[in-house]
Amino acid sequence: MQESRLCLYADAQFVSPYAMSVFVVLDEKGLPFELSTVDLGRDANHESSYAARSLTQRVPTLMHGDFALSESSAIAEYLDEAFPETLVYPQDKFLRARARQVQAWLRSDLMPIRQERSTEVVFYGSQGAALTPAAEAAAQKLFYVAEALLPGDTANLFGTWSIADTDLTLMLNRLILNGDPVPARLVDYATRQWERPSVQRWVKLNRPPLWIAAE
């Protein structure tokens, strides 16, 4: 299985924060992989051929030889076990659990931010209206957690870089790149993280014209 071909299925516009997360993992590990796209605007993710691979009919989906896996955090954890030479999660079991907690939280909470500051803001330069009170409250919760996990002038969440840093940065950049007020320390952190070469390789992908908002 180690030498089997890797293929990442992402959305055709490269705006999925979850596809980005897996792309960064693969790049950080230095793994050669094919990048294939799924046209969500045409419901290609529900077509039988893709559904048979993805199971959950979502992006991202990773093919490793004949093995298919969807859901980004599950993919990242699988890749860390399958290719442990370069880890994207902390080695310490407590910090690794905390990184996974951060990922799970970012994927399941803060819905008002995701609704009002889609990743179109990040990757297409779209601008949203003023945040609603619900989104403002979600933003304050985001800042509280980020600042609690980044004491002082810490460059990364858990000492060395982990994929949780990329996921947190993407959430912060929904606000930062829209011009919303964000604590300066978090802006500095997100700016440094966004410059990471693996992240920039995703940012610089050639995107087609925009068709629909991304969550």
Side-chain angles (χ1 to χ4, degrees), residues 127-141:
Q127 292 290 297
L131 294 172
T132 64
E136 286 278 10
Q140 292 305 312
K141 184 177 183 181

Side-chain angles (χ1 to χ4, degrees), residues 11-76:
D11 60 298
Q13 292 184 280
F14 304 123
V15 295
S16 166
Y18 314 119
M20 173 183 169
S21 185
V22 175
F23 179 98
V24 169
V25 168
L26 289 164
D27 192 275
E28 289 285 340
K29 288 179 171 291
L31 297 171
F33 65 98
E34 177 185 347
L35 182 60
S36 294
T37 58
V38 181
D39 192 341
L40 303 182
R42 297 185 179 181
D43 292 327
N45 53 310
H46 299 306
E47 293 176 1
S48 59
S49 59
Y50 183 74
R53 296 188 187 99
S54 175
L55 187 61
T56 56
Q57 302 177 36
R58 304 208 294 180
V59 296
T61 289
L62 179 76
M63 295 292 300
H64 185 195
D66 294 329
F67 176 64
L69 186 65
S70 60
E71 305 307 315
S72 59
S73 57
I75 296 170

Side-chain angles (χ1 to χ4, degrees), residues 71-111:
E71 305 307 315
S72 59
S73 57
I75 296 170
E77 291 173 24
Y78 167 73
L79 287 170
D80 240 20
E81 293 180 4
F83 302 95
E85 296 80 9
T86 300
L87 296 175
V88 298
Y89 287 99
Q91 288 187 305
D92 177 84
K93 65 181 180 181
F94 298 114
L95 295 179
R96 187 165 63 250
R98 186 71 74 198
R100 289 170 171 169
Q101 177 190 14
V102 169
Q103 284 190 300
W105 173 63
L106 291 170
R107 285 157 171 73
S108 61
D109 200 356
L110 309 175
M111 182 59 75

